[in-house]
Amino acid sequence: MSEKLTDLQKSIQQATAALNGDYSNVTVHESSLQPVPHYSAQDIKAIRSELGITQRVLAVVLAVSPRTVEAWEAGKSQPNGSACRLLQLIQQYPNLIEEIFTTK
């Protein structure tokens, strides 16, 4: 009796074959990420202004304290890589702010 293979089982067989040199069932997708941007105090203020939100709201969106956003905007400290990536995303996709605050 022949059993149907699950997708996972097929994937395991294909991966095993690839490890043994058989790439006939392998599809390679290459992608690259943009480097994490750096944001100055003025950049952060501009993003917040464009979004029409307060420091407190930006802090909630980025899961940091309002004092942290205040320090960034005063030039006393700079956002880390994760915060910069999130700033990049909300700058490129401002509707993400609405999505974050929408309850489902």
Side-chain angles (χ1 to χ4, degrees), residues 18-68:
L19 288 172
N20 292 320
D22 177 7
Y23 294 96
S24 61
N25 288 314
V26 175
T27 303
V28 176
H29 298 276
E30 290 187 31
S31 61
S32 60
L33 286 175
Q34 298 174 10
V36 176
H38 297 282
Y39 289 95
S40 68
Q42 294 78 19
D43 295 335
I44 296 167
K45 287 179 192 177
I47 291 169
R48 193 172 54 75
S49 177
E50 289 170 16
L51 295 170
I53 59 175
T54 64
Q55 287 180 342
R56 183 171 295 282
V57 170
L58 182 59
V60 169
V61 169
L62 299 177
V64 298
S65 75
R67 286 185 181 231
T68 298

Side-chain angles (χ1 to χ4, degrees), residues 1-2 9-10 28 34 45-46 50 87-88:
M1 182 186 302
S2 170
Q9 289 169 321
K10 288 178 189 175
V28 176
Q34 298 174 10
K45 287 179 192 177
E50 289 170 16
L87 283 166
Q88 178 187 26

